[in-house]
Amino acid sequence: MNQTSRIANAEVVLQARQLCKRFGAHEVVRSVDLEVHRSEVVCLIGPSGSGKSTLLRCMAFLEEYSAGEIHIEGELLGYVQNGADRRVRASEAQINHVRRNVGMVFQQFNLWPHMSALGNVTEALLRVRRLKPDEARRRGLAMLDKVGLAAKADAYPGQMSGGQQQRVAIARALAMEPHIMLFDEPTSALDPELVGEVLQVMKDLAREGMTMVVVTHEMGFAAQVADTVMFLDQGAVVARGTPREIFQGNPSPRLQQFLQNYLDRNAFWQQERELKEGAA
Amino acid sequence: MSFEPGIITERLVEIGQGLAITVGAWAGGVVIGMAIGLLIAVLQIFCGAWVRGLLRFYIELIRGTPFLVQLFLLYYGGPAFGLELEPLSAGVIGLGIYGSVYFAEIFRAGFMSVPRGHLEAAACLGMTRLQTIARIQLPQMLVIIVPALVNLVIILSKETAVLSIVTVPELTFVLTGIGSETFAFVETLLVLCVSYLALTELTSRLGLRFERRVGRFMLHRAS
């Protein structure tokens, strides 16, 4: 059984149906359907303003979606059904309950600057999971070790490079043992030479079978790691398929135009070469 | 008119008691004011438009009227509403209410200073809004608001002088009393000024130390 069909047969971790998000009269996400299976890596690509980040933020309920549904492992996210076609926003506790298995990584890292790296990782273990301090510390150090930063446990975010901060942020999310990880342009705020170390951590995660949804401008990463690539434009899914179908197929004019921008930057071809070398 | 320090040294005990009452009323007012102020700022985060509107009204009302008049109304007008207070209690409560709206605005500005992303990260990890306030927002905003807090605490130290109008025997009351008994206005007012100066100087020094303490993690900033 090949990779694609194995994932298609795996259970659905996250499902979005007819998802819409409006800001006033402006429709940012339009009727998006999306299924993420266990161990699948989905990359969302598209020009800025295409709604890919908003779509991702809806999956963590950082945005209230206007219509449609998101189910995480079968549970409706963010709302409580109240009659046949009425719903109200769920309580904080209910939202947190459905979201408990979702990890989120942000473009701006969002580490808490007044806590050390270890403090950032253990905070939710102590306050939310209510682990004992030595147990939280043990797990926190293990997570920092996983992203290669055990030596930085006592460093504050302001003392670390952007790449290190983002790896701590990934460790912080992983410590809660999520079933699915959401990444919102995790390398967009980084200096070019720091992008690689973060992508490497994400590749390792994918290899271990983590279910991931990644909003990214790193076409090389999408080509190499994704099982499914979705191209969004003006809030709608314009194309979806395997990386091969998206990057080597017969693209729509809009997708072609979008990818052309990356050809100019050479990033795509470089990764393509690596892909072919890997296959050969 | 001659300068007679003797008038002061003869009544040092009385003056000392006045100073003690000033410091006590000041501390009491600061504690009450900070508590109410923090409560207002937190309620503004949690509550709907109705409660927020009510809190805004309270803030504008207190901020827009003189402390002297507020204290007068509390002490002399209170009994008409069944609120009979000792002069000192009225003074401390009045000072607390007066300070609370300024504390509330400082805390509100502090809460807004913490980037939204830091709160989103906490929410995604399952932390409650209250945990986020206590663990993420308050420690971070302290660095930013400590100078404003110290400033307000210093202002309130001098506002305690207003308590003399409701006969609280604090420093200003005692010294102006001595002044009008002995006509030694220069000596008494000089002592008064030096006393308040000493208090505010001490406060600002302690404030600076506290600022450095809570700002430790900021010193680690790379850039």
Side-chain angles (χ1 to χ4, degrees):
Chain A
M1 194 158 46
N2 67 28
Q3 169 84 354
T4 310
S5 61
R6 196 182 71 236
I7 281 170
N9 291 332
E11 64 182 303
V12 174
V13 181
L14 184 149
Q15 183 178 40
R17 269 201 300 255
Q18 291 296 300
L19 194 77
C20 296
K21 172 64 185 175
R22 284 181 292 271
F23 289 110
H26 185 50
E27 200 165 29
V28 184
V29 175
R30 301 173 195 224
S31 301
V32 169
D33 287 298
L34 169 68
E35 269 186 4
V36 186
H37 298 83
R38 183 83 63 211
S39 292
E40 185 176 5
V41 177
V42 176
C43 283
L44 305 177
I45 63 171
S48 54
S50 61
K52 53 195 193 307
S53 276
T54 305
L55 173 61
L56 191 82
R57 288 168 57 81
C58 285
M59 295 179 196
F61 210 63
L62 294 174
E63 305 284 355
E64 287 186 17
Y65 46 96
S66 315
E69 288 172 6
I70 294 175
H71 289 269
I72 292 170
E73 298 184 317
E75 294 176 289
L76 180 65
L77 173 68
Y79 294 102
V80 175
Q81 209 63 38
N82 189 3
D85 49 28
R86 282 172 51 81
R87 64 186 187 190
V88 292
R89 190 187 161 104
S91 70
E92 182 181 58
Q94 286 166 321
I95 294 170
N96 280 341
H97 179 75
V98 178
R99 195 165 48 188
R100 70 194 180 282
N101 293 325
V102 179
M104 178 91 186
V105 175
F106 301 86
Q107 181 178 353
Q108 299 295 339
F109 331 135
N110 289 335
L111 291 183
W112 303 309
H114 59 298
M115 295 180 187
S116 66
L118 184 63
N120 268 277
V121 178
T122 56
E123 180 64 18
L125 295 177
L126 293 166
R127 314 278 154 191
V128 180
R129 293 283 192 262
R130 304 209 176 281
L131 295 188
K132 293 196 178 69
D134 53 336
E135 171 70 12
R137 188 183 158 77
R138 205 180 49 75
R139 201 198 285 186
L141 285 173
M143 288 302 138
L144 286 175
D145 190 44
K146 193 179 169 67
V147 298
L149 288 173
K152 290 280 183 183
D154 295 323
Y156 284 83
Q159 296 169 306
M160 287 184 274
S161 72
Q164 291 172 333
Q165 290 187 55
Q166 191 61 296
R167 283 147 68 197
V168 171
I170 293 172
R172 176 173 71 174
L174 287 177
M176 301 298 278
E177 298 176 324
H179 297 174
I180 181 168
M181 287 281 284
L182 308 178
F183 293 84
D184 185 9
E185 301 197 27
T187 58
S188 295
L190 297 176
D191 290 338
E193 75 268 27
L194 302 177
V195 168
E197 64 187 61
V198 172
L199 291 183
Q200 190 55 51
V201 168
M202 293 169 64
K203 284 177 194 168
D204 292 345
L205 270 181
R207 197 174 310 124
E208 288 168 21
M210 176 61 78
T211 312
M212 294 160 63
V213 182
V214 186
V215 171
T216 188
H217 290 293
E218 295 292 331
M219 294 305 133
F221 176 82
Q224 237 183 329
V225 182
D227 299 296
T228 306
V229 177
M230 292 172 63
F231 173 65
L232 275 85
D233 189 35
Q234 296 183 4
V237 179
V238 176
R240 78 174 84 198
T242 62
R244 193 160 293 274
E245 287 163 347
I246 293 292
F247 295 122
Q248 295 179 335
N250 233 341
S252 68
R254 187 69 193 87
L255 176 55
Q256 194 163 25
Q257 185 194 348
F258 173 74
L259 291 175
Q260 190 62 43
N261 293 333
Y262 287 91
L263 298 186
D264 296 342
R265 284 166 35 179
N266 212 20
F268 168 52
W269 285 120
Q270 192 191 327
Q271 293 294 337
E272 276 295 286
R273 273 200 301 278
E274 284 176 26
L275 250 191
K276 282 181 187 134
E277 280 162 19
Chain B
M1 202 165 83
S2 61
F3 190 78
E4 292 183 55
I7 291 169
I8 301 300
T9 47
E10 270 169 26
R11 305 178 75 162
L12 265 183
V13 175
E14 212 179 319
I15 294 168
Q17 284 167 346
L19 182 65
I21 289 175
T22 289
V23 171
W26 176 35
V30 165
V31 168
I32 293 172
M34 262 195 206
I36 300 177
L38 184 58
L39 185 69
I40 291 173
V42 171
L43 283 176
Q44 281 175 322
I45 292 172
F46 279 103
C47 291
W50 261 97
V51 178
R52 282 208 308 274
L54 224 66
L55 293 170
R56 275 323 301 177
F57 177 73
Y58 169 80
I59 290 171
E60 294 305 330
L61 185 73
I62 301 297
R63 203 160 59 163
T65 51
F67 177 45
L68 186 85
V69 178
Q70 292 164 16
L71 190 57
F72 235 74
L73 280 174
L74 180 65
Y75 183 65
Y76 294 108
F81 304 95
L83 188 72
E84 299 217 24
L85 294 169
E86 297 291 310
L88 184 59
S89 324
V92 172
I93 292 169
L95 191 66
I97 290 173
Y98 172 71
S100 69
V101 299
Y102 298 99
F103 279 119
E105 288 295 276
I106 293 172
F107 284 124
R108 192 172 67 89
F111 281 126
M112 290 195 306
S113 74
V114 177
R116 207 174 67 151
H118 293 191
L119 315 185
E120 291 179 347
C124 284
L125 292 164
M127 291 172 72
T128 66
R129 196 67 191 81
L130 210 57
Q131 283 175 327
T132 308
I133 286 174
R135 298 287 305 167
I136 309 301
Q137 283 180 287
L138 276 175
Q140 263 197 75
M141 68 194 240
L142 261 189
V143 184
I144 295 160
I145 67 173
V146 161
L149 288 178
V150 172
N151 192 37
L152 180 52
V153 168
I154 285 175
I155 289 172
L156 289 179
S157 77
K158 289 168 294 167
E159 291 295 333
T160 57
V162 175
L163 270 56
S164 60
I165 62 139
V166 294
T167 71
V168 175
E170 47 70 60
L171 197 61
T172 304
F173 187 85
V174 171
L175 278 166
T176 51
I178 295 172
S180 43
E181 269 173 48
T182 60
F183 298 106
F185 293 113
V186 177
E187 291 85 341
T188 50
L189 291 180
L190 212 61
V191 172
L192 197 57
C193 287
V194 169
S195 305
Y196 284 120
L197 254 176
L199 283 183
T200 56
E201 188 58 27
L202 186 71
T203 311
S204 82
R205 273 162 200 267
L206 287 175
L208 275 177
R209 285 180 72 168
F210 187 58
E211 212 175 302
R212 274 198 291 272
R213 219 184 113 75
V214 298
R216 261 180 317 195
F217 73 90
M218 297 290 272
L219 300 177
H220 299 313
R221 283 279 140 104
S223 55

